[in-house]
Amino acid sequence: MVIDSKVLLYPVLWAVAYVFAPSMDLTNHVLGATALRYAVNLGFTSLAHIESVSYHRRVINKNPPAKQLAQELDWDTPVVGSVIAFLLVEKITPLLSNPTELSLTSLLLCIVGHYCIVEPVYWAFHVALHWPKMYKESHSHHHSSIITESVSGTSHPLLETTAYLAIFSMPFLLPAFCGHFSYELVYIYFTFFDIMNCIGHCNFECVPEWLQWGPLKYLVYCTAYHSEHHTKFRKNYPGARCRVASSARCGTTSAAR
């Protein structure tokens, strides 16, 4: 996985925060969590290319074309954008300036922010992105990755990325609104988000089939499930979790369609 020159923005952002932010604490935690995000994406990308790990669990038994890999060099734009978003929020509102200790309440509010706000809003936004005009002008960029890589999940045009940053801010903002924001939530939610995103796009089935039965199937989606969305384009929208299609059960391997 190639990391491009955008990483040079991080020391610049740290310097800007040093001058303008009320406190460096949030910036330091966000940058620390961002390093963890790179580790998660690099880890999944590496596993996908270790034959002994992924070969017998591949969903599409082909390698992505070079053109796709070159296009996906933009994958870390939202990772950098998340740092910028935190700095902007901290600058314009005091919500994140009074953190508390991590508690069950703060964690539950983060979970509620994700499953009760992010999931349905993201689902509706994602469906809208498949309307012909929006698909042609924006979302087709993401769907040009048919044989997906782990980092395919964050490869989007800039405006689409900006919308995602706004939507996925709620697991932080809801606890902040309620006076229960803690720095630990940044590490927890970033890690959760990136693991789920990588699972959906890594092209080898890493989710046990038993996790797709019963109520758990509404909380976790497997790689084969989301692969149908990238090969058939109008199926299996992530966001609100839906029942796994029988043709996309975990652990199956399919040819490229």
Side-chain angles (χ1 to χ4, degrees), residues 179-211:
H180 290 281
F181 172 75
S182 67
Y183 293 138
E184 291 83 359
L185 293 179
V186 181
Y187 297 91
I188 292 169
Y189 188 71
F190 274 172
T191 302
F192 164 78
F193 174 84
D194 284 314
I195 288 175
M196 294 297 291
N197 211 18
C198 287
I199 285 174
H201 294 87
C202 66
N203 196 35
F204 73 95
E205 194 51 76
C206 50
V207 178
E209 187 171 352
W210 61 267
L211 275 175

Side-chain angles (χ1 to χ4, degrees), residues 108 142 206:
L108 287 175
H142 179 66
C206 50

Side-chain angles (χ1 to χ4, degrees), residues 24-256:
M24 285 299 295
D25 290 342
L26 178 61
T27 301
N28 291 334
H29 282 289
V30 170
L31 290 174
T34 298
L36 183 59
R37 299 188 71 181
Y38 277 98
V40 169
N41 282 274
L42 177 61
F44 270 90
T45 301
S46 299
L47 288 173
H49 292 277
I50 298 175
E51 295 294 308
S52 59
V53 173
S54 64
Y55 180 76
H56 293 292
R57 301 185 65 81
R58 283 184 183 162
V59 180
I60 298 178
N61 199 20
K62 289 185 177 181
N63 291 320
K67 182 179 178 180
Q68 173 187 321
L69 297 177
Q71 175 179 279
E72 289 176 352
L73 292 177
D74 68 357
W75 75 272
D76 60 341
T77 298
V79 180
V80 180
S82 295
V83 181
I84 297 173
F86 267 100
L87 291 177
L88 289 174
V89 170
E90 187 180 29
K91 182 62 180 175
I92 64 178
T93 175
L95 281 173
L96 304 179
S97 300
N98 299 297
T100 62
E101 295 293 326
L102 180 66
S103 64
L104 180 60
T105 300
S106 59
L107 188 58
L108 287 175
L109 286 169
C110 182
I111 293 171
V112 169
H114 178 79
Y115 283 103
C116 296
I117 301 176
V118 170
E119 291 281 359
V121 172
Y122 173 51
W123 179 84
F125 179 62
H126 193 178
V127 171
L129 286 172
H130 281 260
W131 296 346
K133 184 175 176 61
M134 293 184 69
Y135 184 86
K136 180 179 179 181
E137 294 183 357
S138 180
H139 201 52
S140 58
H141 173 97
H142 179 66
H143 271 280
S144 62
S145 300
I146 295 176
I147 306 171
T148 56
E149 291 273 283
S150 301
V151 296
S152 300
T154 49
S155 178
H156 300 283
L158 182 59
L159 289 178
E160 194 172 323
T161 292
T162 302
Y164 288 139
L165 289 174
I167 293 170
F168 285 96
S169 67
M170 290 312 299
F172 305 117
L173 293 181
L174 181 62
F177 286 142
C178 298
H180 290 281
F181 172 75
S182 67
Y183 293 138
E184 291 83 359
L185 293 179
V186 181
Y187 297 91
I188 292 169
Y189 188 71
F190 274 172
T191 302
F192 164 78
F193 174 84
D194 284 314
I195 288 175
M196 294 297 291
N197 211 18
C198 287
I199 285 174
H201 294 87
C202 66
N203 196 35
F204 73 95
E205 194 51 76
C206 50
V207 178
E209 187 171 352
W210 61 267
L211 275 175
Q212 294 298 318
W213 293 95
L216 291 175
K217 63 175 170 281
Y218 297 105
L219 302 177
V220 180
Y221 73 118
C222 66
T223 311
Y225 175 74
H226 189 61
S227 180
E228 280 206 345
H229 183 67
H230 275 263
T231 56
K232 298 186 178 180
F233 302 101
R234 298 191 63 84
K235 291 174 65 69
N236 295 357
Y237 293 102
R241 304 300 181 206
C242 303
R243 188 176 184 85
V244 177
S246 60
S247 61
R249 292 219 182 265
C250 296
T252 61
T253 302
S254 63

